[in-house]
Amino acid sequence: MKIIYNTTAKFLILLTMLFYVGCTLTPRGVFYKDFDPRRISVISVGQFTTSSGNAISDYVKNLMIQNLLARNFTVKEVNSEDVDYVLLGSVTKFLPEKKFLVYTGTNKQQVMLGGPLTEISGSNVYNIGTAFGVSDGEIVVTNATVGVSARLVEKRTGNVVWSSSFSYEALTADTAAEIVANYLITSLTGLRR
């Protein structure tokens, strides 16, 4: 029997392979000597700085809080008296996905609508097909990339007791940010539920 692979089948095979590779990633971080993350009972999530604006900073901070709450941590505001540790960090990269309409013209001369098409370094670019209702029009999309660097500070002493960073590329910025937040909190806490 002859098997014919089409583009969709190849994409599904690639997606399945990436899923299994992604699931086998072991989150890593660096801990201060003799620090045991199981000692964490009350934690606060401080500011996640970014050059892109407060909305992205707050978004990443909220994703970190959601991941901590999902693992049954008590999360409080930074100024609460019983906070032992504060999670801080920075958004090192936030490149949302982009879509471009490309008009190929009658002689297949490439003419751009809305500006030049520039590949974002480190992101994949895909042609997802023809534009509905536009003859000789193609839709091109780029992946989103999100990177975050984080550290856990012991509030009483000011010692940094854990640090890690992670960057991920996905079809949407939301997906990439959620995976990065989950990776970092898993790196800090293990799979505690």
Side-chain angles (χ1 to χ4, degrees):
M1 175 187 273
K2 187 176 180 181
I3 299 175
I4 299 173
Y5 289 102
N6 62 23
T7 305
T8 304
K10 289 179 184 177
F11 177 75
L12 290 175
I13 291 169
L14 178 64
L15 187 61
T16 303
M17 289 173 48
L18 289 174
F19 175 77
Y20 286 114
V21 169
C23 289
T24 60
L25 282 178
T26 304
R28 301 189 191 280
V30 178
F31 288 94
Y32 183 71
K33 63 180 179 179
D34 300 327
F35 177 74
D36 184 0
R38 293 176 293 187
R39 295 190 319 203
I40 301 171
S41 58
V42 180
I43 191 170
S44 174
V45 179
Q47 191 65 32
F48 274 74
T49 61
T50 180
S51 61
S52 302
N54 289 337
I56 293 170
S57 173
D58 290 343
Y59 178 63
V60 170
K61 178 180 176 177
N62 286 333
L63 287 173
M64 295 295 191
I65 291 170
Q66 289 171 14
N67 275 274
L68 286 166
L69 291 174
R71 288 170 173 81
N72 297 318
F73 281 88
T74 301
V75 182
K76 294 194 173 188
E77 293 296 323
V78 175
N79 55 3
S80 298
E81 289 183 19
D82 55 345
V83 169
D84 301 320
Y85 298 95
V86 180
L87 182 63
L88 303 165
S90 60
V91 180
T92 58
K93 188 181 290 187
F94 195 90
L95 303 171
E97 68 279 5
K98 292 184 179 182
K99 294 180 182 174
F100 299 93
L101 178 60
V102 179
Y103 175 69
T104 54
T106 56
N107 294 324
K108 299 294 181 193
Q109 295 173 333
Q110 197 172 35
V111 178
M112 305 306 302
L113 300 178
L117 178 64
T118 305
E119 180 180 351
I120 298 173
S121 177
S123 292
N124 289 315
V125 178
Y126 305 99
N127 180 341
I128 61 171
T130 59
F132 181 74
V134 179
S135 62
D136 294 330
E138 301 283 330
I139 299 174
V140 178
V141 297
T142 62
N143 279 347
T145 304
V146 175
V148 176
S149 177
R151 66 191 179 281
L152 186 68
V153 177
E154 186 176 35
K155 189 175 178 183
R156 182 179 54 81
T157 63
N159 289 340
V160 176
V161 294
W162 168 84
S163 180
S164 186
S165 61
F166 188 62
S167 181
Y168 195 81
E169 183 177 312
L171 295 175
T172 67
D174 287 337
T175 302
E178 288 170 7
I179 290 171
V180 168
N182 182 56
Y183 178 94
L184 290 172
I185 298 302
T186 301
S187 169
L188 172 62
T189 66
L191 296 175
R192 172 179 153 175
R193 293 275 177 189

